[in-house]
Amino acid sequence: MFTGKCLCGDVTFEYDGPMGPVALCHCSQCRRAHGSAFSASAPVQKIRFRVVSGEERITEFESRPGKYRAFCNRCGSQLYSRVDAIPGIIRLRVGVINEPLGKSAAQHVFVGSKSDWFEITDDLPQFEKTERTNDPH
């Protein structure tokens, strides 16, 4: 069981299920949404994700047709993203999880559009786009 919350604590959630590989996304939308060099997220099963409190605080922004980014409308914390094409999966922002994940990042994605001020110095696989490995395991 994983629990998590936004920065202000109004939104809390639980996730009781397997977590897919953690991806570090360097696309321009993730950089803008997070104000950082990349976002860190993992695919999880939507049916096993439950908002415990603050559901009314969650706002979804359609960042491109069929893709939605969810955040707390009070503090701005990014919570997850989802796409219409994969309705059973959400990409949970792992920075809002309270517990240790018990896993490391698996890959860098969208490195072709990464910022010029950040250098990737680890040995993780790098992809120009994202792999469609949306199955949590």
Side-chain angles (χ1 to χ4, degrees):
M1 167 80 73
F2 291 103
T3 63
K5 64 181 180 179
C6 64
L7 181 62
C8 70
D10 281 359
V11 177
T12 62
F13 64 85
E14 295 176 342
Y15 178 69
D16 185 18
M19 185 175 297
V22 175
L24 307 178
C25 183
H26 297 265
C27 80
S28 60
Q29 286 189 353
C30 281
R31 289 197 328 267
R32 288 186 197 288
H34 294 271
S36 186
F38 53 85
S39 71
S41 66
V44 299
Q45 298 170 355
K46 186 176 181 181
I47 196 167
R48 300 181 87 166
F49 176 83
R50 184 173 77 86
V51 176
V52 175
S53 66
E55 190 161 9
E56 72 282 358
R57 288 271 184 213
I58 298 174
T59 297
E60 290 190 348
F61 168 70
E62 190 172 11
S63 59
R64 64 174 167 77
K67 180 173 183 177
Y68 303 86
R69 295 170 178 271
F71 61 94
C72 172
N73 63 25
R74 180 172 184 223
C75 67
S77 291
Q78 298 288 315
L79 302 168
Y80 62 84
S81 66
R82 65 179 183 83
V83 293
D84 288 340
I86 311 169
I89 298 292
I90 60 174
R91 291 203 64 88
L92 187 58
R93 303 311 187 222
V94 296
V96 296
I97 295 175
N98 295 324
E99 296 78 20
L101 295 183
K103 61 170 57 188
S104 299
Q107 61 190 0
H108 293 273
V109 296
F110 289 99
V111 297
S113 59
K114 76 170 202 58
S115 64
D116 65 352
W117 50 265
F118 180 80
E119 181 180 353
I120 298 172
T121 59
D122 59 45
D123 293 329
L124 294 176
Q126 298 181 26
F127 300 96
E128 289 294 317
K129 293 186 178 182
T130 188
E131 284 192 316
R132 286 285 183 214
T133 57
N134 293 302
D135 298 325
H137 59 302

